[in-house]
Amino acid sequence: MSSTELRSQRLNQITHEPHARLDQLVKAQAPFASLPGYTRFVKAQYLFQTELQALYRDPQLAILIGDLPQRCRATQAAADLADLNAALPAGLPGAVQQPSQAEALGWLFVSEGSKLGAAFLIKRAEALGLSQSFGARHLGEPEGGRAAGWKSFTRMLDTLPLTAEQEAELDRGALAAFERFTVLLEHAYADAPQAETVQA
Ligand code: HEM
């Protein structure tokens, strides 16, 4: 890593393509065209957040990011599903298992970064009559604000001493997180009737 390139910027760059692909995939499912379609999207988000819960609760990682446990959105996604009268989905094999610390930070980078895109998504959810206190809690503004939460996360990441090997693990974790979200999203929409995935 050169001194002029921040680690978080490198992560942004290496995940640019998977992010663009995921963005397209989300849009192709038209999650904001109907409540049943949106419910499927929340199920994917719920599973992703639930799979990351052990990382958000990890005491070693919490040394690096003090408010880490509060950053997880599994509870909010579960409450959203209750608002939508939907059952919690069953887990899907393939969740991340005991990653190294650097790999875990790659996963958390993606989960935390997704709160930035959520600022756009919640506006679409509002058009369905939802809000950050009903049905779209997991897309809501985190306490302290989106920008501040992201800045404190990336500042920590950018100043952490890592070996070259850990640096590679970090990248692997971030890429794996995008792959996993893609799998969960495809699973959530696998049996969707066409009417749920047509743009309004
Ligand atoms: C599971 C992971 C992610 C998902 C599902 C996701 C999804 C999305 C979607 C669907 C949009 C488009 C919103 C719209 O235009 O209506 C978006 C935008 C955005 N996302 Fe993500 N995202 C994820 C991870 C990340 C990460 C890791 C970052 C930052 C490193 C990030 C930063 C942004 C930003 C800044 C936008 C705003 C528009 C743009 O600049 O393209 N997202 N995201």
Side-chain angles (χ1 to χ4, degrees):
M1 188 175 58
S2 81
S3 57
T4 52
E5 190 201 24
L6 292 174
R7 185 177 285 141
S8 59
Q9 286 172 359
R10 187 194 72 228
L11 283 175
N12 269 338
Q13 275 161 14
I14 66 156
T15 60
H16 179 80
E17 212 190 302
H19 183 271
R21 261 186 276 128
L22 188 56
D23 181 12
Q24 282 312 307
L25 187 67
V26 170
K27 286 181 176 141
Q29 308 299 353
F32 301 100
S34 72
L35 279 177
Y38 172 73
T39 302
R40 292 176 185 276
F41 177 73
V42 182
K43 286 183 177 174
Q45 293 272 38
Y46 168 78
L47 288 178
F48 190 63
Q49 290 297 308
T50 309
E51 292 180 359
L52 295 185
Q53 221 160 14
L55 277 48
Y56 276 105
R57 289 177 179 166
D58 184 313
Q60 295 303 317
L61 286 166
I63 294 172
L64 302 175
I65 321 151
D67 63 347
L68 191 61
Q70 293 92 279
R71 285 176 180 252
C72 186
R73 289 165 291 154
T75 309
Q76 287 91 331
D80 287 338
L81 288 172
D83 293 339
L84 296 160
N85 292 318
L88 299 180
L92 198 68
V96 58
Q97 295 297 337
Q98 304 189 329
S100 68
Q101 186 175 78
E103 210 175 341
L105 287 170
W107 282 83
L108 291 172
F109 172 86
V110 175
S111 177
E112 288 301 300
S114 74
K115 292 176 179 173
L116 300 175
F120 296 82
L121 301 182
I122 195 162
K123 297 211 166 67
R124 310 282 312 275
E126 281 163 4
L128 286 173
L130 308 171
S131 70
Q132 67 174 28
S133 52
F134 186 85
R137 302 165 198 263
H138 79 283
L139 299 173
E141 173 107 32
E143 207 172 316
R146 291 183 204 276
W150 179 238
K151 255 197 197 132
S152 62
F153 182 82
T154 52
R155 201 180 308 120
M156 174 282 299
L157 197 61
D158 289 337
T159 51
L160 195 66
L162 293 181
T163 64
E165 194 180 322
Q166 289 170 322
E167 206 78 71
E169 288 172 15
L170 180 70
D171 291 3
R172 270 206 300 279
L175 292 169
F178 272 104
E179 272 170 38
R180 183 61 181 167
F181 193 88
T182 303
V183 167
L184 294 175
L185 197 69
E186 283 173 342
H187 173 72
Y189 285 92
D191 59 351
Q194 209 195 357
E196 281 181 25
T197 58
V198 172
Q199 293 276 4

